[in-house]
Amino acid sequence: MDEIQQNLRQVKESIAKACRRSGRNPEDVRIVAVTKYVDVETTRRALDAGLVHIGESRAQEAVPKWKALGDRGVWHFIGHLQSNKAKAVAGKFTYVHSLDRYSLAKELNRRSEGVGQPTRCFMQVNVSGETSKHGLRPEELTDFAREAAEFPWLRLEGLMTMAPFTEDPEEVRPVFRQLKALQQELQRLGDPRLAVPHLSMGMSRDYTVAVEEGATFVRLGSILVGQSYSAGR
Ligand SMILES: *Cc1c(COP(=O)(O)O)cnc(C)c1O
């Protein structure tokens, strides 16, 4: 069996177990295969293995991959997005996970309108407060969500966060729990546009904890397609 297929089978098993521990339905957890470390051929193998959601984090590398494979799968832009790259992303990437400021929302809305395709957005929250991380401060989220909801070509789908790097994934459980609490706060506002259904959280080392805490999209790179895993190896 192909190595990616094998990895995928193990990941699905771990997700199923995490769902059993937390009383969730595994069908509510979608896997985004993060292909930023790998080439077009490996990305194609990920699609061949049955992965549907493909995540990329740099426009310069993502767009050539999308040009080769964009008619297959659903494409997610997961990295920090400069406003001047919104043009490259709109119409190609169904989802953007890194919406974190007004200027980007405005430009992404404009570019999405230009290509006639709305962009589904996750608002990125810097829950851990690390200065190295992008994202809204938790206390900025509600006001930002209200502003972003006014853009007709953006669809607010959920919240995204990146947990700090730790050896023990248990240590980042509170980060995931807080993102879920923020989602519930938005849902309590009673505005259907702000009641976002999804949580994009969990990476290779902490995704099982994220699933236990309610992740509906996990973003998996190294554990699934490898770090520098190239065709023919
Ligand atoms: C690289 C990246 C991932 C995947 O990282 P792994 O640890 O390899 O699973 C997930 N999310 C974002 C935003 C990334 O940049």
Side-chain angles (χ1 to χ4, degrees):
M1 196 180 5
D2 178 87
E3 201 171 334
I4 296 178
Q5 277 177 312
Q6 240 163 20
N7 294 344
L8 179 58
R9 190 197 266 183
Q10 278 166 10
V11 162
K12 281 185 172 166
E13 185 53 38
S14 299
I15 289 174
K17 282 185 189 155
C19 284
R20 277 201 292 277
R21 288 195 294 274
S22 53
R24 299 190 59 208
N25 182 348
E27 284 176 17
D28 294 338
V29 182
R30 270 150 261 190
I31 298 168
V32 179
V34 177
T35 51
K36 67 183 183 194
Y37 310 114
V38 301
D39 59 12
V40 175
E41 274 323 302
T42 309
T43 306
R44 192 192 309 277
R45 293 223 309 282
L47 289 160
D48 290 343
L51 285 152
V52 173
H53 298 279
I54 300 294
E56 282 282 332
S57 64
R58 275 184 297 269
Q60 217 173 331
E61 288 145 35
V63 171
K65 273 187 202 160
W66 180 87
K67 285 193 172 138
L69 301 168
D71 55 338
R72 299 180 60 187
V74 177
W75 291 67
H76 296 246
F77 195 87
I78 62 169
H80 178 65
L81 184 57
Q82 291 173 303
S83 298
N84 65 7
K85 298 279 163 58
K87 181 174 192 267
V89 165
K92 300 185 179 71
F93 287 77
T94 305
Y95 291 89
V96 166
H97 290 235
S98 50
L99 189 70
D100 64 355
R101 57 198 192 281
Y102 187 81
S103 55
L104 175 61
K106 191 174 170 192
E107 186 61 10
L108 195 56
N109 178 71
R110 186 167 86 89
R111 296 300 183 178
S112 301
E113 179 175 17
V115 294
Q117 185 182 305
T119 301
R120 299 177 173 209
C121 296
F122 287 81
M123 294 172 281
Q124 183 173 352
V125 186
N126 184 1
V127 172
S128 65
E130 287 173 288
T131 51
S132 60
K133 291 218 162 43
H134 294 284
L136 297 149
R137 284 182 283 129
E139 60 272 23
E140 294 173 325
L141 176 62
T142 303
D143 284 346
F144 177 77
R146 285 201 173 104
E147 288 173 348
E150 295 297 326
F151 288 111
W153 291 88
L154 303 183
R155 303 273 183 275
L156 299 184
E157 292 278 336
L159 303 180
M160 179 275 220
T161 200
M162 287 178 78
F165 178 84
T166 51
E167 287 301 323
D168 178 6
E170 271 307 320
E171 285 177 34
V172 298
R173 187 182 294 276
V175 171
F176 299 140
R177 205 165 273 182
Q178 199 187 333
L179 197 70
K180 173 87 189 175
L182 289 168
Q183 179 194 30
Q184 289 167 334
E185 265 177 49
L186 286 178
Q187 289 170 343
R188 276 198 296 269
L189 295 172
D191 180 340
R193 293 172 312 167
L194 307 184
V196 292
H198 291 295
L199 292 174
S200 166
M201 58 189 194
M203 301 169 40
S204 289
R205 58 197 137 73
D206 54 24
Y207 72 100
T208 56
V209 176
V211 168
E212 287 172 11
E213 296 301 329
T216 60
F217 284 88
V218 290
R219 309 178 309 267
L220 304 179
S222 33
I223 202 175
L224 205 52
V225 295
Q227 293 246 7
S228 54
Y229 185 67
S230 61
R233 201 181 73 175

